[in-house]
Amino acid sequence: MQRFPTFRKGGVHPDDKKSLSSPCAIERLPVPSELIVPLSQHLGAPASALKQKGETLDIGEKIGKASGFISADVHSPVAGLIKDIRKVTLANSVVCDAFVIAVDAKQPVKVWEEQPYAHLSGAQIISIVQDMGVVGTGGATFPTHVKLMVPKGKSVDALVVNGVECEPYLTADHRLMLEETDKVLQGVMIVAQAVSPKRIIIGVENNKPDAIEVLRNAVSQKGYPIDVVPLKVKYPQGDEKQLLKATIGREIPSGKLPIDVGALVLNVGTSFAVYEAVALRKPLIDRVVTVSGEAIASPKNIRTYVGTKVVDLLAYCGNPKERYEKMISGGPMMGFAFFDDQTPITKGSSGILVLDNQKELDAPTTACISCGRCVAVCPMGLQPTKLYKLIEHRRYEDAMKMNLMDCKECGCCAYTCPAHIPLVHGMKLGKKLGRK
Amino acid sequence: MEIPKLYVSSSPHLHDRPTTASIMWNVSIALAPAALWGVYAFGLRALLVLVVSIVSSVLVEFLLGKISKQFTITDGSAFLTGLLIGMNMPPSVPLFVPILASIFAITVAKWVFGGLGANWINPALAGRVFVFFSFTGLMSQYSLPRFVGSVDSVSQATMLTAMKMQIGEPAVQQLGSSAILESIAYPASRFGLSVSDSLNGIISPYTVDAFFGLIGGSLGEISAVLLIAGAIYLMVKKIITWHIPVCFLGTFSLLAWIFGGLRNGMGLFQGDFVLQLFSGGMMLGAFFMATDMVTSPTTKKGMVIFGVGIGFFTFLLRYFGSLPESVSLAIIIMNIFVPTIEKYVLPKRFGEVEKKTKSTKEANA
């Protein structure tokens, strides 16, 4: 039997539940009548509004301008009228201004034609990527143009494309790799053109054998210098630290970035967005969202506009079943629970899940029996139980000394804790209070 | 349409199945075969001891829970403590002994420190050691199982006690553990003798008896094979890992093999450790007492140190101590070290290696 590489330390194996939506081809959501497009869809400073209430918008028109180094532009996905600009709360609890757009019933036909890009320099590519508002679509939403600006004195040895999609339920990247294989690969090559890496690797977990095969065929057909690497399934392999360990065997030191070990990590969804941005000059105005979960009548992978309200997506999937208990934006391990179905989709929304099994999961917390499972599964080599106890006693500084900031809230510890201690919740709280 | 009640909680929104209670009940299940074997070997009297231990443990837990307004008996920990106490009793012990052991275990060892998870010492072990030193006479009267000797189960020293009494005597110089037993005509079962004969005496009948549980001893500790089977069940269920038992038994065997012969005037590397491994509280201690999660380290490295330490102290106490009690004392000694181990033995952080190799590279350059 072939042995697939993976990262070594920690990790868990939750039931991946991907079969709910993995056979469903990407569908396009009919244009909703109203969109809510937030100005903060990325990591960093929110964009500043370029338009006023009452102005009309065209498809792809820029409506928000990046307001700092780490920030990104925002574009209107549709032709329509700005009904209102108001504060909204996003699924991840970020509160920001958002355009409420009344969508014109009759949308003009907009064809995004492919333009030559082979002659573009790295700087030109980066400026286009910036202009098109591309951010990481995996969930962290780091502005892509910032990522592509390799600091002086550093070079990209390996460009690692993240096709892992380790969160249970989510299949958006999987479907993208299957259905838009060539565009994803072209996006990867455009990034390669910008940062000239020595080698290019696509890491895909081997629970997606069809995607691995399709990618390999396309790569050999087109003669791309890309290595498709199947990885052993283990959560959280989609995290860039674990992915780099699994693919190129390097560990990013605490507090450092992939570029510090000569690597650049890019999501397949982001690669696709880069292709659309550079080859079609199409801003990041739509994305593929997995709508799944036990309480969804017919789970789907839907290509939809940024700003689509969750309620529209749920209606398209036949509305949730009568009894449902939790709505999540993102995956079940790191995603955010939210309660308002008027919440909009953003550039980072990989999935909307509706679950009905929370009552049994939210079992009462009992005493820690020091079983050490959280220590064994922590991919960062931390001691969650000790950190939690320190945070409980408000000893934030001591927790910091035990490298609390290395915690990336992947959820392995809380997932595995037999005493149902809300460890991740504690870590989040400790980081917030300890930073002061 | 009625708006459903939505849960809004921190991630993760999935959870692995095992709970504290399921872990505790699984350990009890793993102990059950060995406990039942004890009942079979020593008769219904042994069952009475088990039941009394369990009932008194659970009752004490319930009453203490009443005081602090908690209901904790369903988590299975008190049941498990009671079961372990019962399994650590001589089968014919007066019933007040396990009752006292249970009261001490649950009250002093567990609840005084704050209940489940807060104790530094395994409650069952504390209970056993408490009554052992309080009623050493009663706790040292062992009857033979139904397989050995005459029907009316004569009171008889266990193999370990017998060996211990002889060790260092001029009569048993140059003799290994089994040979010592043979020299004092310690009874062996017919099964053990026949197996030993068919293997041309490579394995002594006493070792066979000890492995299968045809010997005298505390009622739950006699059958090494059933305890090992229970331990394998726990390992498959991923409730215990190999680290503590393997390091414990490995260290003990190594030391007993190298130095064990010295006590009888033999040279180095002459120790007869196989019989030692399967007798006394070794198996029960290694797989079910030392692996108690609350009182053992949480890191793998820490578990290795913990296991090696128990092996070392067990060796010292068994070969050079004056009491037949060794495994339980060794575990308690290492329990004391657990907070220290936890403080200084930290798991390797992600990204730590990279830093070191980088700096050494820079230093070399």
Side-chain angles (χ1 to χ4, degrees), chain B residues 4 27 49 63 92 94 111 123 132 135 138-139 153 187 192 194 200 204 211-212 219 269-270 285 293 311 340 345-346:
Chain B
V27 177
V49 173
L63 292 175
S92 53
W111 277 77
F132 178 83
F135 313 102
L138 295 176
M139 285 294 286
S153 293
S194 69
N200 293 324
S204 85
F211 183 71
F212 288 102
L219 68 91
F269 305 104
Q270 305 257 323
M293 293 165 174
T340 317
V345 181
L346 304 173

Side-chain angles (χ1 to χ4, degrees), chain A residues 9 251 254 325-326 332-333 335 358-359 361-362 367-370 373 380 383 386 403 406 414-415 417-418 425, chain B residues 4 6-7 9-13 15-16 18-20 116-117 238 293-294 298 342 346-351 354:
Chain A
K9 192 192 291 292
E251 291 191 6
S254 168
E325 292 167 350
K326 192 178 257 177
M333 294 298 284
Q358 293 300 305
K359 221 169 271 169
L361 292 182
D362 289 354
C368 169
I369 53 166
S370 310
R373 283 168 191 232
M380 299 309 290
Q383 293 168 286
K386 270 197 205 171
N403 308 300
D406 274 4
Y415 168 79
C417 179
H425 187 83
Chain B
L6 287 180
Y7 284 65
S9 63
S10 186
S11 61
H13 311 287
H15 204 284
D16 210 1
T19 60
T20 307
L116 180 65
K238 296 195 171 153
M293 293 165 174
V294 178
T298 53
E342 283 287 271
L346 304 173
K348 200 164 73 192
R349 276 168 63 211
F350 185 92
E354 210 77 3

Side-chain angles (χ1 to χ4, degrees), chain A residues 247-305:
Chain A
T247 51
I248 61 171
R250 292 184 203 162
E251 291 191 6
I252 306 172
S254 168
K256 302 277 183 176
L257 295 169
I259 195 70
D260 293 308
V261 295
L264 201 138
V265 182
L266 202 69
N267 191 271
V268 288
T270 317
S271 309
F272 181 71
V274 167
Y275 165 81
E276 291 204 321
V278 178
L280 309 179
R281 303 293 155 91
K282 179 187 163 194
L284 181 48
I285 51 172
D286 59 0
R287 64 158 298 143
V288 182
V289 180
T290 300
V291 182
S292 185
E294 279 78 5
I296 291 288
S298 53
K300 284 182 167 59
N301 297 294
I302 305 174
R303 183 129 190 218
T304 185
Y305 293 119

Side-chain angles (χ1 to χ4, degrees), chain B residues 3-251:
Chain B
I3 298 164
K5 271 189 192 153
L6 287 180
Y7 284 65
V8 179
S9 63
S10 186
S11 61
H13 311 287
L14 290 182
H15 204 284
D16 210 1
R17 235 169 278 126
T19 60
T20 307
S22 77
I23 288 175
M24 295 294 170
W25 290 116
N26 265 313
V27 177
S28 295
I29 289 169
L31 282 167
L36 291 176
W37 178 261
V39 173
Y40 175 63
F42 300 112
L44 285 175
R45 169 73 196 178
L47 183 65
L48 188 62
V49 173
L50 282 177
V51 170
V52 165
S53 306
I54 293 170
V55 168
S56 51
S57 275
V58 173
L59 195 66
V60 173
E61 173 96 1
F62 176 74
L63 292 175
L64 289 169
K66 276 264 171 205
I67 296 172
S68 57
K69 297 195 171 53
Q70 295 175 51
F71 185 74
T72 49
I73 56 172
T74 45
D75 68 19
S77 66
F79 182 95
L80 177 58
T81 300
L83 179 60
L84 279 169
I85 288 174
M87 290 176 75
N88 268 301
M89 291 292 143
S92 53
V93 76
L95 293 178
F96 76 89
V97 176
I99 292 175
L100 273 180
S102 295
I103 293 173
F104 184 85
I106 302 288
T107 315
V108 180
K110 190 174 168 190
W111 277 77
V112 162
F113 291 92
L116 180 65
N119 48 301
W120 66 273
I121 183 175
N122 182 329
L125 216 48
R128 155 156 177 112
V129 171
F130 172 70
V131 292
F132 178 83
F133 286 114
S134 308
F135 313 102
T136 314
L138 295 176
M139 285 294 286
S140 309
Q141 277 173 10
Y142 291 99
S143 43
L144 281 173
R146 59 166 72 203
F147 324 102
V148 190
S150 53
V151 195
D152 48 297
S153 293
V154 215
S155 190
Q156 168 95 29
T158 62
M159 277 186 186
L160 271 183
T161 322
M163 283 188 277
K164 196 140 215 168
M165 289 191 310
Q166 294 299 315
I167 241 167
E169 296 284 321
V172 297
Q173 288 297 305
Q174 308 292 331
L175 293 180
S177 307
S178 306
I180 294 175
L181 292 176
E182 214 168 322
S183 75
I184 57 165
Y186 192 86
S189 74
R190 214 171 288 145
F191 176 76
L193 287 168
S194 69
V195 170
S196 180
D197 275 351
S198 64
L199 292 168
N200 293 324
I202 302 169
I203 297 171
S204 85
Y206 302 113
T207 309
V208 177
D209 281 356
F211 183 71
F212 288 102
L214 311 175
I215 53 171
S218 296
L219 68 91
E221 72 182 18
I222 55 169
S223 174
V225 66
L226 290 178
L227 288 168
I228 292 171
I232 291 172
Y233 171 77
L234 290 184
M235 287 192 203
V236 170
K237 283 261 177 187
K238 296 195 171 153
I239 289 172
I240 63 172
T241 58
W242 59 269
H243 300 79
I244 293 174
V246 168
C247 293
F248 170 10
L249 299 174
T251 307

Side-chain angles (χ1 to χ4, degrees), chain A residues 84-393:
Chain A
D84 196 9
I85 299 178
R86 64 173 157 90
K87 287 245 181 286
V88 292
T89 305
L90 303 181
N92 57 2
S93 301
V94 166
V95 179
C96 69
D97 284 324
F99 290 97
V100 182
I101 302 173
V103 181
D104 292 349
K106 201 158 183 259
Q107 287 288 313
V109 180
K110 174 95 181 171
V111 183
W112 307 92
E113 270 172 48
E114 190 162 316
Q115 300 175 23
Y117 57 83
H119 62 281
L120 295 174
S121 72
Q124 283 169 321
I125 289 175
I126 291 171
S127 103
I128 295 170
V129 165
Q130 179 173 15
D131 201 38
M132 296 295 133
V134 179
V135 302
T137 59
T141 61
F142 189 78
T144 304
H145 68 274
V146 182
K147 200 182 243 185
L148 297 185
M149 287 185 225
V150 179
K152 262 211 178 91
K154 286 182 178 147
S155 64
V156 179
D157 174 49
L159 170 61
V160 180
V161 182
N162 188 347
V164 173
E165 202 168 46
C166 61
E167 280 270 11
Y169 293 98
L170 302 187
T171 54
D173 284 353
H174 182 192
R175 290 312 304 185
L176 210 53
M177 287 190 280
L178 284 181
E179 295 177 40
E180 306 283 6
T181 320
D182 201 47
K183 290 175 184 167
V184 168
L185 292 175
Q186 281 187 56
V188 173
M189 293 314 292
I190 291 170
V191 173
Q193 194 177 325
V195 299
S196 43
K198 289 200 187 76
R199 52 187 171 137
I200 309 170
I201 296 162
I202 301 186
V204 187
E205 283 191 344
N206 65 357
N207 58 358
K208 299 181 263 293
D210 47 351
I212 294 167
E213 201 191 317
V214 167
L215 285 170
R216 277 193 168 150
N217 289 342
V219 164
S220 66
Q221 214 170 44
K222 299 268 171 145
Y224 292 133
I226 298 177
D227 197 7
V228 181
V229 181
L231 301 168
K232 198 179 148 199
V233 178
K234 186 155 88 169
Y235 179 88
Q237 196 145 240
D239 186 279
E240 56 187 18
K241 293 196 173 191
Q242 272 58 47
L243 180 64
L244 286 183
K245 179 74 180 166
T247 51
I248 61 171
R250 292 184 203 162
E251 291 191 6
I252 306 172
S254 168
K256 302 277 183 176
L257 295 169
I259 195 70
D260 293 308
V261 295
L264 201 138
V265 182
L266 202 69
N267 191 271
V268 288
T270 317
S271 309
F272 181 71
V274 167
Y275 165 81
E276 291 204 321
V278 178
L280 309 179
R281 303 293 155 91
K282 179 187 163 194
L284 181 48
I285 51 172
D286 59 0
R287 64 158 298 143
V288 182
V289 180
T290 300
V291 182
S292 185
E294 279 78 5
I296 291 288
S298 53
K300 284 182 167 59
N301 297 294
I302 305 174
R303 183 129 190 218
T304 185
Y305 293 119
V306 161
T308 307
K309 287 179 284 185
V310 168
V311 65
D312 294 329
L313 283 172
L314 295 183
Y316 187 69
C317 295
N319 282 326
K321 291 170 189 164
E322 207 146 272
R323 189 182 70 88
Y324 65 101
E325 292 167 350
K326 192 178 257 177
M327 289 196 291
I328 299 164
S329 163
M333 294 298 284
M334 285 187 75
F336 301 94
F338 63 102
F339 53 88
D340 184 2
D341 60 7
Q342 299 292 314
T343 306
I345 295 295
T346 66
K347 293 174 183 177
S349 309
S350 44
I352 296 295
L353 307 180
V354 186
L355 305 183
D356 61 2
N357 56 351
Q358 293 300 305
K359 221 169 271 169
E360 54 222 71
L361 292 182
D362 289 354
T365 299
T366 52
C368 169
I369 53 166
S370 310
C371 63
R373 283 168 191 232
C374 54
V375 181
V377 299
C378 179
M380 299 309 290
L382 303 175
Q383 293 168 286
T385 166
K386 270 197 205 171
L387 288 170
Y388 188 83
K389 281 170 194 165
L390 288 174
I391 291 161
E392 238 184 351
H393 292 92

